[in-house]
């Protein structure tokens, strides 16, 4: 389910963050943050690519087509709302998340709807006529996160060990 992915090795990352602050090295802390962000970027890109490649198929009935009544592309709008944040304070780590505030009001729940695999919506805004579409592949968020989390975790651990070595 779209939400957020957080990589936190709480004990070791907190200790490392305290040591970074005590060392007084803003350069070292910026370097640490930059490397953590870089570790999360492949998952960020993969999530954006996953939502861009989700196909929505109709219910199988013959439907008259036509241009979309809106000018905004759905998948690109959703891909633009996938965000990264890095924290080095009390809860250090990286987080990849879906920022609902970057979505138009009528699309705020769409990432979760597409994740479920079933999209039900009014036909061209007509609330008396509804269509159901299926998203293939369903689970675009969870499947991508499951595939990318081990690599991201290993990279963050490698960065943590490198920074710890620099501090010693």
């Amino acid at each position: 389910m779209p939400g957020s992915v957080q990589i936190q090795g709480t004990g070791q990352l907190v200790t490392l963050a305290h040591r970074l602050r005590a060392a007084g090295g803003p350069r070292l802390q910026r370097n640490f943050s930059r490397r953590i962000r870089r570790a999360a970027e492949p998952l960020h890109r993969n999530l954006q690519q996953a939502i861009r490649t989700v196909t929505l198929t109709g219910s199988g009935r013959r439907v008259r087509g036509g241009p979309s009544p809106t000018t905004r592309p759905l998948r690109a709008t959703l891909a633009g709302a996938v965000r990264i944040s890095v924290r080095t304070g009390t809860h250090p780590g990286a987080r990849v998340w879906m920022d609902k505030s970057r979505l138009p009001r009528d699309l705020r729940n769409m990432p979760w709807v597409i994740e479920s695999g079933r999209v039900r919506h009014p036909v061209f805004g007509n609330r008396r006529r509804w269509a159901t579409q299926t998203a293939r592949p369903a689970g675009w968020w969870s499947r991508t996160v499951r595939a990318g989390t081990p690599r991201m975790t290993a990279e963050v651990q490698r960065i943590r060990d490198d920074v710890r070595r620099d501090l010693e």
Side-chain angles (χ1 to χ4, degrees), residues 125-144:
N126 180 357
R127 294 221 162 268
R128 289 189 221 146
R129 194 144 179 239
W130 287 75
T132 301
Q133 293 181 288
T134 55
R136 300 279 182 242
W140 66 274
W141 179 273
S142 56
R143 191 172 310 135
T144 306

Side-chain angles (χ1 to χ4, degrees), residues 1-140:
M1 189 85 18
S4 67
V5 180
Q6 297 182 27
I7 302 298
Q8 297 178 343
T10 53
Q12 295 167 339
L13 281 177
V14 169
T15 304
L16 187 59
H18 289 299
R19 290 177 73 187
L20 277 171
R21 245 180 271 118
R27 181 194 58 78
L28 192 59
Q29 198 159 5
R30 278 194 309 269
N31 185 28
F32 178 64
S33 297
R34 183 176 37 83
R35 288 181 67 191
I36 295 282
R37 177 173 291 281
R38 246 190 235 150
E41 283 173 354
L43 180 60
H44 178 249
R45 281 192 304 272
N46 290 347
L47 284 167
Q48 288 180 325
Q49 185 61 31
I51 191 60
R52 284 186 181 113
T53 57
V54 167
T55 58
L56 295 171
T57 56
S59 58
R61 292 182 22 202
R62 184 187 148 117
V63 180
R64 292 186 304 258
S68 172
T70 67
T71 57
R72 65 174 187 256
L74 173 67
R75 291 170 193 86
T77 302
L78 295 176
V82 178
R83 309 281 290 157
I84 300 176
S85 63
V86 176
R87 294 173 314 281
T88 56
T90 56
H91 300 290
R95 179 177 173 212
V96 180
W97 53 291
M98 180 63 74
D99 187 1
K100 287 172 64 171
S101 69
R102 296 196 66 173
L103 293 172
R105 187 172 290 297
D106 60 335
L107 294 180
R108 296 261 163 98
N109 289 327
M110 189 56 71
W112 292 270
V113 171
I114 292 176
E115 171 78 7
S116 73
R118 183 172 176 256
V119 180
R120 188 166 154 73
H121 61 89
V123 177
F124 292 107
N126 180 357
R127 294 221 162 268
R128 289 189 221 146
R129 194 144 179 239
W130 287 75
T132 301
Q133 293 181 288
T134 55
R136 300 279 182 242
W140 66 274

